[in-house]
Each structure stands twice: as C-alpha cells, then as structure tokens.
Amino acid sequence: MTTTRKAPWWESGVIYQVYPRSFQDSNGDGVGDLRGIEQRLDYIAALGVDAIWLSPIFPSPMVDFGYDVADYCGVDPLFGTLDDFDRLLKAVHAHGLRLLLDFVPNHSSDQHPWFLESRRSRDNPKRDWYIWRDPAPGGGPPNNWISDMGGSAWQWDEATGQYYLHAFLKEQPDLNWRNPAVRAAMTDVLRFWFERGVDGFRIDVLWHMIKAEGLPDNPLNPHYRAELGEKLKLLQIHSTNQPEVHDIAAAFRALADSYGDRLLVGEICLPVETLMHYYGREAPGVHLPFNFQLLDAPWHAQSLAAMIIAYEAALPAGAWPNWVIGSHDAPRIAARLGEPQARVAAMLLLTLRGTPTLYQGDELGIGKVEIPPDRIRDPQDLRQPGMGLGRDRSRTPMPWDGSANAGFSTAEPWLPLNPDWQQRNVQAEQHDSGSILSLYRELLRCRRASSALALGAFELVAADGDLLVYDRFDDRERVRVALNLAGNAIKLPFDFDPAAKLLVGTHPRESMGDMLRPNEGMAFRLSGPAAA
C-alpha cells in the first residue's frame, strides 16, 4: 500500500478537548479561563497532541455553561477578553498546536439580541429568525416534541401569544435555519473567527439544525424505557436529521476550505449508516462527523471488532475515520471501565485508524466523582434528578499538583475535585513512569513516530473471548496491537517473529512472550526499520 497524496494535518493529528471552566483558573475566582489555558500550554504540547478544542467561551448567561450563546463574536468576561483570546491563539500556534472553537449554531441564548428582537412582536423583522408557532387547535404546544433536557420543546410567550421552539432548555431558543438571513449572519460569525486565525470548529448538535416542514408530531419510541430519559419517549424523526442540513454543512465546508487548511468536526449522534451522510452528499460536508461509538460500546472483543469493521466498511470513498472515547457529556473512561481497562482503552483509541479526540483529565485516569446534591450545577441533572444523567462528574477541575485546590485555583473550585486528587494529579503522574499519564505520552510519541499508526490501514487479526488483535500497516511497516480486555492472562494465538520489537505497552516488559497479562495491551512492530 502506497500513499501518494499529502495528508492534511488532522488525519495524523490528535485533538485534545479543553473544558475552559475546569482547566486552569488564573484570577482566583474558582473558574478556569483563557489566561489559565495559556499558562498550561507547555503541558498540552508535551503531551504530544496536535490541536486543542475549546468548549464555548462566548458571552453567555451560563444557564447551560456556554451552550447558550448571547454573542457569537465575543468572549465572556468569566473567561477573559478578545485580547486574551488573541494572545492565547498566538501562544497556541507558537507551541506548534492548532485551536478549534465550539460553534453552537442550532440555538442561541434567550438573552441574545436577535431573540430579544424576535420576541418583541409578531411583525418584528427578526421574528422569523426563530421558530414561532400558534398553539395547537385545542390549545397547548404546537406538537408533541420533547426537549432533550426533558419536558415540552415549546415555551409559551404571553406577550406575543405564540410558542417558540427549544430543543434544549427554554433559555436556548432554536434558530430558524430555513431563513436565509440567519444563514448569512451565522456565516459571518464563522468568518469572524477564521479571520482571527482559528484553525477550525467543532459544530454543536449539527444534526438538529433543520426541522421538517410543517413540524409534524414525532412518533412514539416502541423501545422506550424510563431510565433512558424523557427525550427518548419519541423518535426524533421530524425534529432532527432533515435532508436540508447537508446543504448547510456543505456551505460551512466551502467557507472553511476557502481559508486553507481548516478543520470542521460535526457533533452528530446518529447510527453509523446515517452518520456517514455528514461527510457530504452532492458536495463535501464536515471533515469529521464525530464517531461516538466507543462512549457506550460493550467492552467485549467481538463487539468492538464488529463495530470497528462495520464503521470502516461504511466510510465513503476518501473519508477519514475518527474516534472519541471521552467527553464533557459522558462518564469518565476510568469510571466506566476502571483504571486497568482505562489503560487498554487508551491504547485502543490511539492505535485505531483515524483521528482520536482526547478529553482533558482522562489521561490522568480520573474516575468516578460523586457530586453532592448542593454542588450540582448541570441543568440536565437538576431537571431530571436521580436519572444518572448529570454531566458535572465529567467536568470537575484538572488536578495539577498536591497543593491547595490541586493547583487549579487559589479559591474553592466551582465543582469538587476528584477525591484522589492529592495522588492523582499531573505533577505526581508525570514523574511516575508507571502512571497512566506516562502511558498516554508514550502512546502519543509512538503514534507520531510510526507512519503505520499515524496514517496506515487497519486489518483485524483476532477477536476471540476477551482478546482483540489488529494490525496497522503501510508500505514501510506493520504494527500489531494486542489488547486483553479481561482480568486474567490470555495466550496469544500467533507465533512471534523473532525480529518483532515492542513499541509501547500498558505494562513494563523485559521480553515479548506469548501471553498477555491481565488488563494488558501492547503494540509491536512486525516489520520495518528499527524503532526510532
């Protein structure tokens, strides 16, 4: 296999998600900010990633912690100023990194000037910038749609006698993307940030942006269970994933491409066969439609192998895969799997074909964090208590060292720290060759040094019981990855080439051997030049 084209930076790159509220506080208010992120760029660069994705930093009432945007072309004072942003961006680039922003186009804050105008009267010029409807013939909401945060997706406005649509909180009214003026205004937003030098965007809930004409009722979900949360009572057939959204994605892509080597990542929570449409239909779509399958995949070798093979087979010609295993919305990897398997998961994520996205703190093995009832901040948890839907547990501050407040802030952090922060922090782990942080750094180093791991093809070797084995290869080398997903030793079902060289493993090893120890993963070169 020979690759002749020059791959864009993001194909061999690794994205690192920073949740700004929880990364580093520079001014002692207990909340992270842009200057704090700048202070920690040496850490991010030394980790070995290629790009930083920032969760929203825009002016916001913070009802949903920045995903309710009141000004798309500014910086919330909580995080700093536009000058702070420009300084951060310059510093990011000076570290050889790239910076992606979180673009939230489906909805704004109800405090955005556009919405304040829109709700002023039925004949306001911006009325149609949002989705307003009369009550149903018998009274009540216009249809049966349910908010992703629970409850009706419609909010009554007494002053104008109509309902407005909100797919999330009532403080997050949905924009009307069928209105050309909305498209033009939001395109200007993207252009504003591209002109400042950002390297791309992660596009929030891209699949939500267009609603079906006529806004018909969504059908009932025949497989609904209460523990799934209220939003899944219905199948979101008419409220999401409409064909016209691909025209919007194509327009975003054309704009990004006009600025050169820029990246668009789309948040799309849909089945794989539907997800693939977001790479583009008649015209190119987003570069990377986020692949979230590892977030809740059954942790069994055969299940993972089948999922990987099906995903690879579904990719359109020329499309590049990507993998996500942790995020600000999902439980921590180590909380789901335990630290021993979190190490194996790290090796899986960073050796599969495609662009991986890491979430801050997962490289430290942060596990379960209990949030006391009086410290809960997540509106999703507050609206549906006891459902286990809270996201605060994944947004706790980064523990940097063993000093007060883990070096995150001089004040009490806005959320509790992980309970073992005095032992599980950056300073402690970076000096421990056996730490999970050291493993992540070594995996990222090997990925960068190996052409096969960075851009090579994928081939399944074995998926039996708790053993998963696959090869990554190109015309220069073949690397084999063997993962033990169990707490007992497993014999490898193949003979070792005497010339095979261990590249990286979850456990220290003196020799290769034909057994994987419990919870062990290793990657070794079967052929090619000696390791760098």
Side-chain angles (χ1 to χ4, degrees):
M1 185 195 84
T2 303
T3 302
T4 55
R5 70 181 181 91
K6 185 181 186 302
W9 66 266
W10 43 267
E11 287 194 3
S12 61
V14 178
I15 300 169
Y16 184 78
Q17 182 190 356
V18 166
Y19 194 71
R21 294 181 69 91
S22 296
F23 201 64
Q24 177 65 57
D25 173 22
S26 72
N27 61 3
D29 63 359
V31 178
D33 47 47
L34 295 181
R35 291 204 172 203
I37 296 167
E38 184 182 351
Q39 290 170 13
R40 298 296 186 179
L41 287 178
D42 286 349
Y43 167 79
I44 297 174
L47 190 60
V49 299
D50 299 86
I52 300 168
W53 151 34
L54 294 184
S55 292
I57 57 170
F58 314 110
S60 167
M62 298 293 167
V63 178
D64 193 21
F65 298 111
Y67 286 93
D68 49 322
V69 179
D71 176 3
Y72 287 97
C73 295
V75 172
D76 194 279
L78 188 69
F79 300 125
T81 66
L82 265 175
D83 285 342
D84 291 330
F85 174 81
D86 290 339
R87 197 172 91 169
L88 173 63
L89 180 60
K90 184 177 179 180
V92 166
H93 289 161
H95 279 78
L97 300 165
R98 315 221 181 203
L99 188 66
L100 311 180
L101 291 183
D102 210 325
F103 181 46
V104 188
N106 176 72
H107 49 267
S108 75
S109 166
D110 63 353
Q111 300 305 303
H112 195 292
W114 297 344
F115 187 72
L116 295 177
E117 284 286 314
S118 183
R119 78 185 311 176
R120 198 158 283 166
S121 68
R122 289 197 183 198
D123 58 0
N124 188 280
K126 285 194 168 56
R127 184 67 168 186
D128 192 47
W129 282 44
Y130 294 84
I131 300 172
W132 293 90
R133 293 294 184 273
D134 289 328
N143 65 25
N144 71 343
W145 293 0
I146 294 174
S147 159
D148 278 17
M149 296 291 192
S152 173
W154 295 94
Q155 180 66 25
W156 176 249
D157 181 62
E158 189 69 40
T160 59
Q162 282 190 316
Y163 287 88
Y164 67 83
L165 180 67
H166 58 94
F168 296 91
L169 297 171
K170 64 181 176 61
E171 294 86 358
Q172 295 169 291
D174 281 28
L175 284 153
N176 177 17
W177 276 84
R178 292 186 181 276
N179 184 331
V182 170
R183 297 194 187 197
M186 294 298 262
T187 300
D188 285 344
V189 168
L190 292 175
R191 192 174 286 113
F192 172 87
W193 292 106
F194 277 136
E195 291 288 341
R196 288 193 103 82
V198 302
D199 299 288
F201 294 90
R202 177 265 195 184
I203 304 170
D204 184 61
V205 297
L206 174 59
W207 85 108
H208 267 272
M209 287 174 57
I210 290 280
K211 284 70 177 172
E213 291 278 18
L215 310 181
D217 281 355
N218 277 327
L220 293 173
N221 179 359
H223 306 295
Y224 174 71
R225 305 188 312 276
E227 61 267 24
L228 297 175
E230 188 178 2
K231 74 173 183 178
L232 294 181
K233 281 183 178 178
L234 305 177
L235 301 175
Q236 295 182 330
I237 302 298
H238 303 300
S239 53
T240 66
N241 192 39
Q242 299 305 299
E244 298 92 332
V245 77
H246 299 290
D247 294 334
I248 297 172
F252 288 168
R253 173 66 176 270
L255 178 65
D257 287 350
S258 74
Y259 282 89
D261 210 9
R262 302 298 198 266
L263 172 64
L264 296 181
V265 180
E267 185 195 18
I268 301 131
C269 299
L270 293 170
V272 166
E273 61 274 12
T274 309
L275 178 70
M276 295 302 158
H277 296 155
Y278 286 80
Y279 279 106
R281 287 179 165 175
E282 287 78 16
V286 294
H287 300 87
L288 299 177
F290 257 157
N291 171 23
F292 293 119
Q293 293 181 90
L294 288 175
L295 288 177
D296 54 9
W299 204 245
H300 308 294
Q302 290 109 324
S303 298
L304 289 172
M307 179 194 72
I308 295 163
I309 294 298
Y311 175 72
E312 285 273 359
L315 288 164
W320 187 249
N322 73 95
W323 297 93
V324 180
I325 203 168
S327 87
H328 65 293
D329 288 332
R332 289 281 189 184
I333 305 168
R336 303 197 309 264
L337 303 176
E339 181 175 330
Q341 279 298 308
R343 291 169 175 262
V344 175
M347 180 163 279
L348 177 69
L349 176 69
L350 294 174
T351 60
L352 284 172
R353 188 177 84 100
T355 303
T357 296
L358 310 182
Y359 177 55
Q360 68 173 57
D362 280 344
E363 75 274 20
L364 302 178
I366 293 175
K368 188 174 183 180
V369 182
E370 297 288 352
I371 308 296
D374 64 337
R375 299 292 304 275
I376 293 173
R377 299 291 179 264
D378 179 17
Q380 183 164 272
D381 201 8
L382 292 169
R383 286 170 63 90
Q384 300 179 79
M387 297 290 293
L389 302 175
R391 300 167 295 178
D392 290 334
R393 58 195 172 184
S394 300
R395 301 174 177 184
T396 57
M398 276 287 284
W400 292 101
D401 55 42
S403 66
N405 303 314
F408 166 74
S409 176
T410 56
E412 182 180 25
W414 74 286
L415 280 176
L417 292 157
N418 50 294
D420 56 350
W421 64 269
Q422 290 181 306
Q423 298 78 39
R424 190 177 299 282
N425 61 66
V426 170
Q427 186 180 65
E429 292 199 26
Q430 68 185 356
H431 298 301
D432 177 3
S433 62
S435 71
I436 190 170
L437 174 58
S438 293
L439 172 63
Y440 265 93
R441 285 180 167 175
E442 188 62 14
L443 282 165
L444 287 161
R445 186 198 68 79
C446 285
R447 181 185 174 87
R448 190 179 297 275
S450 166
S451 60
L453 289 177
L455 292 168
F458 172 92
E459 183 176 79
L460 182 68
V461 175
D464 184 33
D466 294 305
L467 177 67
L468 179 64
V469 184
Y470 51 89
D471 285 356
R472 298 290 311 284
F473 63 95
D474 61 10
D475 56 354
R476 286 175 282 181
E477 63 176 353
R478 179 176 287 263
V479 174
R480 179 157 294 178
V481 180
L483 306 175
N484 181 355
L485 278 59
N488 53 273
I490 295 179
K491 190 175 190 310
L492 293 170
F494 49 82
D495 295 326
F496 277 104
D497 183 333
K501 180 175 180 58
L502 182 67
L503 297 178
V504 61
T506 56
H507 296 55
R509 268 187 175 269
E510 295 297 326
S511 60
M512 296 289 288
D514 62 354
M515 298 287 291
L516 278 180
R517 288 169 288 186
N519 306 302
E520 183 177 24
M522 60 180 181
F524 47 95
R525 181 178 285 120
L526 294 177
S527 58

mmCIF file of all heavy atoms in Angstrom, residues 9 89 92-93 97-100 193-194 197-201 261-264:
data_model
loop_
_atom_site.group_PDB
_atom_site.id
_atom_site.type_symbol
_atom_site.label_atom_id
_atom_site.label_comp_id
_atom_site.label_asym_id
_atom_site.label_seq_id
_atom_site.Cartn_x
_atom_site.Cartn_y
_atom_site.Cartn_z
ATOM 1 N N TRP A 9 -3.216 17.898 8.104
ATOM 2 C CA TRP A 9 -2.648 17.757 9.444
ATOM 3 C C TRP A 9 -3.533 16.948 10.371
ATOM 4 O O TRP A 9 -3.062 16.205 11.222
ATOM 5 C CB TRP A 9 -2.373 19.133 10.058
ATOM 6 C CG TRP A 9 -3.607 19.961 10.330
ATOM 7 C CD1 TRP A 9 -4.168 20.894 9.508
ATOM 8 C CD2 TRP A 9 -4.419 19.923 11.508
ATOM 9 N NE1 TRP A 9 -5.288 21.451 10.078
ATOM 10 C CE2 TRP A 9 -5.466 20.864 11.321
ATOM 11 C CE3 TRP A 9 -4.394 19.191 12.698
ATOM 12 C CZ2 TRP A 9 -6.454 21.095 12.273
ATOM 13 C CZ3 TRP A 9 -5.380 19.403 13.652
ATOM 14 C CH2 TRP A 9 -6.394 20.352 13.443
ATOM 15 N N LEU A 89 -4.390 32.387 21.210
ATOM 16 C CA LEU A 89 -4.255 31.805 19.875
ATOM 17 C C LEU A 89 -2.814 31.925 19.372
ATOM 18 O O LEU A 89 -2.252 30.969 18.817
ATOM 19 C CB LEU A 89 -5.214 32.501 18.906
ATOM 20 C CG LEU A 89 -5.206 32.002 17.468
ATOM 21 C CD1 LEU A 89 -5.587 30.533 17.381
ATOM 22 C CD2 LEU A 89 -6.146 32.836 16.601
ATOM 23 N N VAL A 92 -0.781 29.388 21.279
ATOM 24 C CA VAL A 92 -1.075 28.035 20.798
ATOM 25 C C VAL A 92 -0.260 27.750 19.537
ATOM 26 O O VAL A 92 0.390 26.707 19.407
ATOM 27 C CB VAL A 92 -2.587 27.869 20.534
ATOM 28 C CG1 VAL A 92 -2.868 26.600 19.724
ATOM 29 C CG2 VAL A 92 -3.362 27.814 21.850
ATOM 30 N N HIS A 93 -0.305 28.682 18.602
ATOM 31 C CA HIS A 93 0.434 28.495 17.354
ATOM 32 C C HIS A 93 1.943 28.467 17.599
ATOM 33 O O HIS A 93 2.672 27.703 16.943
ATOM 34 C CB HIS A 93 0.064 29.601 16.362
ATOM 35 C CG HIS A 93 -1.316 29.462 15.813
ATOM 36 N ND1 HIS A 93 -2.005 30.507 15.217
ATOM 37 C CD2 HIS A 93 -2.160 28.395 15.777
ATOM 38 C CE1 HIS A 93 -3.201 30.080 14.823
ATOM 39 N NE2 HIS A 93 -3.311 28.803 15.146
ATOM 40 N N LEU A 97 0.782 24.063 17.950
ATOM 41 C CA LEU A 97 -0.546 23.478 18.085
ATOM 42 C C LEU A 97 -1.560 24.255 17.256
ATOM 43 O O LEU A 97 -1.287 25.360 16.781
ATOM 44 C CB LEU A 97 -0.982 23.480 19.559
ATOM 45 C CG LEU A 97 -0.098 22.703 20.537
ATOM 46 C CD1 LEU A 97 -0.433 23.082 21.975
ATOM 47 C CD2 LEU A 97 -0.268 21.202 20.321
ATOM 48 N N ARG A 98 -2.751 23.704 17.116
ATOM 49 C CA ARG A 98 -3.857 24.372 16.429
ATOM 50 C C ARG A 98 -5.004 24.547 17.416
ATOM 51 O O ARG A 98 -5.083 23.850 18.422
ATOM 52 C CB ARG A 98 -4.310 23.556 15.231
ATOM 53 C CG ARG A 98 -3.120 23.065 14.412
ATOM 54 C CD ARG A 98 -3.346 23.154 12.971
ATOM 55 N NE ARG A 98 -2.186 22.642 12.239
ATOM 56 C CZ ARG A 98 -1.904 22.980 10.998
ATOM 57 N NH1 ARG A 98 -2.661 23.848 10.368
ATOM 58 N NH2 ARG A 98 -0.864 22.483 10.379
ATOM 59 N N LEU A 99 -5.918 25.472 17.093
ATOM 60 C CA LEU A 99 -7.008 25.786 18.008
ATOM 61 C C LEU A 99 -8.349 25.705 17.294
ATOM 62 O O LEU A 99 -8.552 26.346 16.255
ATOM 63 C CB LEU A 99 -6.826 27.185 18.593
ATOM 64 C CG LEU A 99 -7.792 27.572 19.710
ATOM 65 C CD1 LEU A 99 -7.571 26.712 20.947
ATOM 66 C CD2 LEU A 99 -7.635 29.050 20.076
ATOM 67 N N LEU A 100 -9.251 24.899 17.835
ATOM 68 C CA LEU A 100 -10.623 24.782 17.339
ATOM 69 C C LEU A 100 -11.567 25.394 18.365
ATOM 70 O O LEU A 100 -11.400 25.189 19.571
ATOM 71 C CB LEU A 100 -11.014 23.317 17.134
ATOM 72 C CG LEU A 100 -10.064 22.402 16.364
ATOM 73 C CD1 LEU A 100 -10.643 20.995 16.281
ATOM 74 C CD2 LEU A 100 -9.788 22.941 14.974
ATOM 75 N N TRP A 193 -14.226 34.500 13.091
ATOM 76 C CA TRP A 193 -13.214 33.725 13.830
ATOM 77 C C TRP A 193 -12.130 33.188 12.899
ATOM 78 O O TRP A 193 -10.951 33.134 13.278
ATOM 79 C CB TRP A 193 -13.877 32.600 14.617
ATOM 80 C CG TRP A 193 -14.720 33.125 15.737
ATOM 81 C CD1 TRP A 193 -16.084 33.170 15.799
ATOM 82 C CD2 TRP A 193 -14.260 33.717 16.968
ATOM 83 N NE1 TRP A 193 -16.496 33.741 16.974
ATOM 84 C CE2 TRP A 193 -15.407 34.090 17.712
ATOM 85 C CE3 TRP A 193 -12.996 33.974 17.495
ATOM 86 C CZ2 TRP A 193 -15.312 34.686 18.968
ATOM 87 C CZ3 TRP A 193 -12.891 34.571 18.743
ATOM 88 C CH2 TRP A 193 -14.049 34.923 19.468
ATOM 89 N N PHE A 194 -12.512 32.803 11.680
ATOM 90 C CA PHE A 194 -11.481 32.384 10.721
ATOM 91 C C PHE A 194 -10.508 33.532 10.452
ATOM 92 O O PHE A 194 -9.293 33.329 10.357
ATOM 93 C CB PHE A 194 -12.109 31.926 9.411
ATOM 94 C CG PHE A 194 -12.593 30.501 9.407
ATOM 95 C CD1 PHE A 194 -13.835 30.173 8.859
ATOM 96 C CD2 PHE A 194 -11.817 29.483 9.918
ATOM 97 C CE1 PHE A 194 -14.280 28.862 8.833
ATOM 98 C CE2 PHE A 194 -12.252 28.166 9.904
ATOM 99 C CZ PHE A 194 -13.489 27.857 9.358
ATOM 100 N N GLY A 197 -7.866 33.798 12.869
ATOM 101 C CA GLY A 197 -6.819 32.793 12.759
ATOM 102 C C GLY A 197 -7.127 31.443 13.379
ATOM 103 O O GLY A 197 -6.228 30.598 13.468
ATOM 104 N N VAL A 198 -8.388 31.206 13.793
ATOM 105 C CA VAL A 198 -8.683 29.893 14.360
ATOM 106 C C VAL A 198 -8.551 28.827 13.280
ATOM 107 O O VAL A 198 -8.731 29.083 12.091
ATOM 108 C CB VAL A 198 -10.081 29.832 15.019
ATOM 109 C CG1 VAL A 198 -10.208 30.865 16.121
ATOM 110 C CG2 VAL A 198 -11.189 29.949 14.007
ATOM 111 N N ASP A 199 -8.257 27.618 13.712
ATOM 112 C CA ASP A 199 -7.945 26.522 12.789
ATOM 113 C C ASP A 199 -9.136 25.632 12.474
ATOM 114 O O ASP A 199 -8.990 24.663 11.723
ATOM 115 C CB ASP A 199 -6.812 25.685 13.377
ATOM 116 C CG ASP A 199 -5.552 26.505 13.576
ATOM 117 O OD1 ASP A 199 -4.908 26.852 12.572
ATOM 118 O OD2 ASP A 199 -5.222 26.835 14.736
ATOM 119 N N GLY A 200 -10.296 25.948 13.045
ATOM 120 C CA GLY A 200 -11.482 25.168 12.741
ATOM 121 C C GLY A 200 -12.497 25.237 13.860
ATOM 122 O O GLY A 200 -12.351 25.992 14.823
ATOM 123 N N PHE A 201 -13.534 24.407 13.697
ATOM 124 C CA PHE A 201 -14.645 24.406 14.639
ATOM 125 C C PHE A 201 -15.145 22.999 14.893
ATOM 126 O O PHE A 201 -15.149 22.156 13.987
ATOM 127 C CB PHE A 201 -15.827 25.222 14.093
ATOM 128 C CG PHE A 201 -15.547 26.682 13.951
ATOM 129 C CD1 PHE A 201 -15.022 27.185 12.769
ATOM 130 C CD2 PHE A 201 -15.800 27.566 14.983
ATOM 131 C CE1 PHE A 201 -14.752 28.536 12.631
ATOM 132 C CE2 PHE A 201 -15.541 28.915 14.854
ATOM 133 C CZ PHE A 201 -15.012 29.400 13.667
ATOM 134 N N ASP A 261 -6.130 25.278 5.263
ATOM 135 C CA ASP A 261 -6.052 24.011 5.992
ATOM 136 C C ASP A 261 -6.855 24.071 7.294
ATOM 137 O O ASP A 261 -6.310 23.977 8.388
ATOM 138 C CB ASP A 261 -4.586 23.718 6.291
ATOM 139 C CG ASP A 261 -4.309 22.224 6.358
ATOM 140 O OD1 ASP A 261 -5.204 21.449 6.004
ATOM 141 O OD2 ASP A 261 -3.200 21.852 6.763
ATOM 142 N N ARG A 262 -8.160 24.243 7.189
ATOM 143 C CA ARG A 262 -9.030 24.347 8.353
ATOM 144 C C ARG A 262 -9.828 23.050 8.522
ATOM 145 O O ARG A 262 -10.024 22.294 7.576
ATOM 146 C CB ARG A 262 -9.999 25.515 8.219
ATOM 147 C CG ARG A 262 -9.327 26.863 8.021
ATOM 148 C CD ARG A 262 -8.455 27.250 9.220
ATOM 149 N NE ARG A 262 -8.153 28.662 9.247
ATOM 150 C CZ ARG A 262 -7.074 29.226 8.736
ATOM 151 N NH1 ARG A 262 -6.173 28.469 8.130
ATOM 152 N NH2 ARG A 262 -6.871 30.529 8.811
ATOM 153 N N LEU A 263 -10.300 22.813 9.754
ATOM 154 C CA LEU A 263 -10.992 21.560 10.089
ATOM 155 C C LEU A 263 -12.377 21.846 10.630
ATOM 156 O O LEU A 263 -12.555 22.726 11.477
ATOM 157 C CB LEU A 263 -10.182 20.787 11.137
ATOM 158 C CG LEU A 263 -10.850 19.540 11.748
ATOM 159 C CD1 LEU A 263 -11.081 18.469 10.686
ATOM 160 C CD2 LEU A 263 -9.996 18.997 12.884
ATOM 161 N N LEU A 264 -13.368 21.086 10.162
ATOM 162 C CA LEU A 264 -14.720 21.118 10.721
ATOM 163 C C LEU A 264 -15.057 19.737 11.267
ATOM 164 O O LEU A 264 -14.983 18.736 10.549
ATOM 165 C CB LEU A 264 -15.746 21.505 9.656
ATOM 166 C CG LEU A 264 -15.630 22.904 9.058
ATOM 167 C CD1 LEU A 264 -16.738 23.130 8.045
ATOM 168 C CD2 LEU A 264 -15.665 23.985 10.145
#
